[in-house]
Amino acid sequence: MNRSTFTTTTQRMIPFAAFSFAAALLWLAGSPAVAQDGAEIREFRGQTMGTTYMVKVYDPPKLADGIDIEIDAELRSVNDQMSTYLKSSEISRFNASESTDWFDVSAETALVVDAALRISKATNGAFDVTVGPLVNAWSFGPDAKTNTVPSDETIATLRESVGYEKLAVRIEPPALKKSTSSLKVDLSSIAKGHGVDRVIALLERHGAKNVFVEIGGEVRVTGKKGDQPWKVGIQDPRIEQSGTNETPLAAAHPIENQAMATSGDYRIFFEVDGKRYSHTLDPRSGRPIDHDLASVSVIAPTCMEADGWATAINVLGAEQGAKIAAAEGLDILLIRHRGNEFTRLGTGTLAQYATDPKLEPHAAQTQTHQAAQPGDAAHASEEATFFAKMLPTLIITLIGFGIILSAMAIGVIFGRKSISGSCGGLAGKKNDDGSVSCSLCSNPSDACQELREQMKKDA
């Protein structure tokens, strides 16, 4: 699974809502397909939030005519509420307002902002939906792109208008409030996941139980695809260096009634004087992140949560990200980029794809009992891998011993001799007629010649 080129974080602010495109060009409006088990799959595709979406319904109920239009309308509603590209959207009107009084918004916008602020507080500001002005200054927002590094003075000035603690949300009645008139909110890093959740809820209302919804790489599923769980692919970041159009996967992970989102810095960046500047900004510094994480995949109950946490952990980096993921009960897969080498750290159900044992001791030393789970999981995965490699050798050895023991038993039974020593002429016994029998096969053996000669000397 990967985010599209237009996928952004709060710090990225790329066209989540190029709504003119979100006029939902439906490529395939509910065309039926047939699964391998013969069941019907309804599939819907289109464009929204500056990227594409795909919906699959396995063994669908009798969906109403125009369900594809309903899906599109639901996604348009997300844009109408949260797009920063639509001047008429709720969030754009809130941003344009200089009032510091409560500003009425929809329940959905309040829900998303509330979730964003919870992640902001949990990460001490590593995730911050007010960082938009800095994103624009770094050429990753909706403003004109200059691909230049802003001055320290510009960054310092813009930071005065940034800060999640300057934003408040009220659920009932739903409203937003800012303590600084210049504060602006961009929900690009979390609203796409919210859109996925909205489509899931829409189809559930229509009675669909086995659903796969993906918007720009963010995925949530319900039920199964027949007797198999839905699988979500995590793209291998190395594809960006290969220069090919192939899309190899780092993993194809089965999930049930969960969501997965991925954030990475390997697609969108610019370079100045040989230095690469990621599109993911750290709101705490006002500058692009500068660590070795190439991508972060997160599994969470809802896609809104997975979307927001993927960005937050991408800002925090591997060690801090793994620590907070354990505390929040999130399964994560981190892919690190060290020179030409890519390594992985996984937790929970994604630990099976980890390849980086170097993080394990650190995780065990610095994390709480909950935070130790990533290291434990990685170690368990390593042991499982070793056992899996040795299993064929063990099976062959056991079969070989079985054959030898069976041959010995057959020899004893048909030769009417007892086993009294080891094989190969290293041991034997003297028969009544003076001959020496190999104790294994109970027959005279040339291999016992040396033993017989030794026995004659000893007699």
Side-chain angles (χ1 to χ4, degrees):
M1 187 190 70
N2 65 285
R3 291 187 172 208
S4 74
T5 302
F6 297 102
T7 301
T8 67
T9 68
T10 298
Q11 294 70 40
R12 288 176 286 170
M13 289 194 172
I14 305 268
F16 140 62
F19 187 59
S20 57
F21 288 99
L25 171 63
L26 297 182
W27 295 340
L28 188 61
S31 59
V34 179
Q36 290 183 345
D37 59 5
E40 180 184 352
I41 295 181
R42 294 287 301 276
E43 185 170 324
F44 310 91
R45 293 174 183 264
Q47 293 185 336
T48 186
M49 306 181 199
T51 184
T52 62
Y53 72 80
M54 177 178 65
V55 179
K56 292 184 178 181
V57 185
Y58 174 87
D59 192 20
K62 183 174 176 54
L63 296 172
D65 292 339
I67 184 64
D68 52 329
I69 303 300
E70 283 193 58
I71 292 172
D72 184 55
E74 191 72 25
L75 294 174
R76 289 184 183 217
S77 177
V78 177
N79 274 300
D80 289 340
Q81 295 164 338
M82 306 174 204
S83 169
T84 54
Y85 282 75
L86 276 179
K87 292 183 178 180
S88 60
S89 73
E90 289 181 351
I91 214 69
S92 290
R93 287 186 284 111
F94 173 74
N95 289 342
S97 171
E98 295 185 353
S99 171
T100 55
D101 295 331
W102 285 107
F103 185 94
D104 292 342
V105 295
S106 63
E108 291 83 1
T109 297
L111 171 72
V112 173
V113 171
D114 186 58
L117 289 181
R118 195 189 77 78
I119 298 175
S120 296
K121 293 172 184 174
T123 59
N124 291 321
F127 181 87
D128 193 333
V129 293
T130 70
V131 78
L134 285 166
V135 175
N136 283 329
W138 282 96
S139 299
F140 297 118
D143 292 353
K145 295 173 176 47
T146 61
N147 287 349
T148 57
V149 177
S151 67
D152 292 343
E153 292 75 16
T154 298
I155 293 173
T157 299
L158 292 175
R159 290 187 66 190
E160 295 176 358
S161 300
V162 172
Y164 71 92
E165 65 279 357
K166 300 170 184 171
L167 175 66
V169 60
R170 186 178 68 194
I171 300 299
E172 187 58 44
L176 305 181
K177 185 178 182 180
K178 49 187 169 185
S179 61
T180 300
S181 60
S182 58
L183 185 84
K184 300 184 186 304
V185 173
D186 189 296
L187 301 173
S188 300
S189 62
I190 194 169
K192 191 148 37 55
H194 169 72
V196 171
D197 294 334
R198 295 264 288 265
V199 175
I200 288 283
L202 169 67
L203 291 168
E204 284 181 337
R205 292 197 294 273
H206 280 275
K209 297 180 179 178
N210 305 294
V211 181
F212 179 106
V213 178
E214 177 263 337
I215 299 178
E218 324 299 23
V219 177
R220 182 176 170 184
V221 307
T222 61
K224 294 184 177 181
K225 185 180 180 182
D227 59 355
Q228 300 292 325
W230 297 100
K231 285 189 175 181
V232 181
I234 300 174
Q235 184 175 325
D236 190 335
R238 287 176 295 183
I239 183 60
E240 300 304 318
Q241 294 189 335
S242 67
T244 70
N245 292 323
E246 298 177 354
T247 55
L249 300 179
H253 186 68
I255 62 174
E256 294 183 38
N257 301 315
Q258 290 179 307
M260 180 187 290
T262 296
S263 176
D265 76 337
Y266 53 91
R267 282 181 178 272
I268 305 173
F269 59 88
F270 69 85
E271 292 185 350
V272 175
D273 298 331
K275 182 175 176 57
R276 175 171 167 161
Y277 294 93
S278 167
H279 70 285
T280 301
L281 298 191
D282 187 338
R284 300 167 298 183
S285 66
R287 301 174 184 279
I289 59 173
D290 187 20
H291 53 60
D292 61 1
L293 269 186
S295 79
V296 177
S297 296
V298 176
I299 293 177
T302 69
C303 203
M304 178 178 66
E305 295 172 278
D307 199 2
W309 277 110
T311 298
I313 293 172
N314 195 24
V315 173
L316 288 169
E319 285 81 7
Q320 288 298 315
K323 183 177 180 179
I324 199 165
E328 294 288 332
L330 303 169
D331 294 353
I332 61 171
L333 180 65
L334 310 179
I335 301 181
R336 308 181 80 169
H337 184 197
R338 299 165 174 169
N340 294 324
E341 180 184 8
F342 286 81
T343 59
R344 307 173 192 171
L345 169 67
T347 70
T349 58
L350 294 175
Q352 59 187 301
Y353 310 113
T355 61
D356 193 347
K358 297 177 182 178
L359 285 175
E360 184 180 347
H362 179 82
Q365 292 170 5
T366 60
Q367 296 173 7
T368 66
H369 68 284
Q370 285 183 308
Q373 291 177 7
D376 293 343
H379 183 62
S381 177
E382 187 179 351
E383 288 184 340
T385 302
F386 176 78
F387 179 76
K389 290 180 179 178
M390 295 302 297
L391 184 59
T393 303
L394 179 61
I395 292 174
I396 292 173
T397 302
L398 291 175
I399 292 174
F401 271 110
I403 293 173
I404 292 173
L405 290 174
S406 298
M408 291 170 63
I410 292 172
V412 168
I413 292 172
F414 287 94
R416 296 184 179 179
K417 302 289 184 182
S418 61
I419 298 175
S420 59
S422 61
C423 186
L426 298 178
K429 67 179 181 179
K430 192 174 184 180
N431 298 318
D432 294 338
D433 60 0
S435 65
V436 176
S437 296
C438 173
S439 59
L440 173 63
C441 62
S442 301
N443 290 314
S445 170
D446 293 339
C448 296
Q449 181 64 32
E450 183 177 350
L451 177 60
R452 285 198 294 270
E453 292 175 356
Q454 183 63 40
M455 292 176 68
K456 287 179 180 179
K457 291 181 181 178
D458 296 339

